[in-house]
Amino acid sequence: MARKLAVIGAGLMGSGIAQVSAQAGWDVVLRDVTDAALTRGTDGIKASYDKFVSKGRLDATDAAAALDRISTTTDLDAVADADVVVEAVFERIEAKQEIFRALDGIAKDGAVLASNTSAIPITKIAAVTGRPEQVVGTHFFSPVPMMQLCELVRGFKTSDETLAAAREFAESTGKTCIVVNRDVAGFVTTRLISALVVEAAKLQESGVASAEDIDTACKLGFGHAMGPLATADLTGVDILLHATSNIYTESQDEKFAPPESMRRMVDAGDIGRKSGQGYYTY
């Protein structure tokens, strides 16, 4: 019997999670609040499958079968029979808590309730439900079909069974998992990249070195595939500003305080590749 996954949010992350899960044999229901958002999500999934087929990395028959395993809806009640529910909405705690309050009343007993957050403590999300032991973080990386990592995050009350089920789900999609045993803001990966990006941005802002030279130093000196400021542009300077601000608010650790230049870039709309301008011009 095929396993059932519900993904809440059809944006870049949600559609990517739906894509790799359907390809792995899961029956997927993708939910968003508008039909337009769902169409964008499924169009993106189809285009991604087509690209893999054209490169010989996916059989056309398998791609068509995977696409058939994805259904879409604007009705949250559609998650009622899902074994795993992954929330992938915007990184704002109020939005996530609203979703989890609703899921608590809809999802079946024993369902894994997962959040694809990159920085918000799972304990705070789980606390609005009556079943915090079934809530876990499954932090996939963008673009989901290409990135190999999934960060599994324990909340204060996440059970061993829930963590094991989340690992089984993530590994079934081909991901390698790491476990974050205590859900400090930013977990492991967002904490590390935020500290690096903030320091790189401060060095660039104060004229110590250019963005290009800072990134070259990290690539050639540390073996990084991409420098921190190019990474900020790829991820979105606005996304990283939001993440680092969340971590700073939680930790009050000055190394996570975003520099003024980063805030000014976001205010001006220079948020990286998606706007054509960030630390680099595209």
Side-chain angles (χ1 to χ4, degrees), residues 10 32-43 74:
D32 211 308
V33 290
T34 67
D35 288 324
L38 291 166
T39 299
R40 277 195 303 275
T42 50
D43 284 351
T74 55

Side-chain angles (χ1 to χ4, degrees), residues 237-279:
V237 181
D238 54 332
I239 303 292
L240 269 169
L241 175 66
H242 193 72
T244 56
S245 299
N246 274 342
I247 299 170
Y248 177 62
T249 300
E250 283 284 324
S251 67
Q252 292 301 297
D253 187 332
E254 286 299 324
K255 73 171 170 280
F256 296 111
E260 185 197 2
S261 58
M262 189 183 274
R263 295 187 184 282
R264 287 173 64 79
M265 283 172 68
V266 172
D267 289 344
D270 289 352
I271 54 177
R273 290 194 187 193
K274 57 192 172 187
S275 70
Q277 180 66 49
Y279 288 98

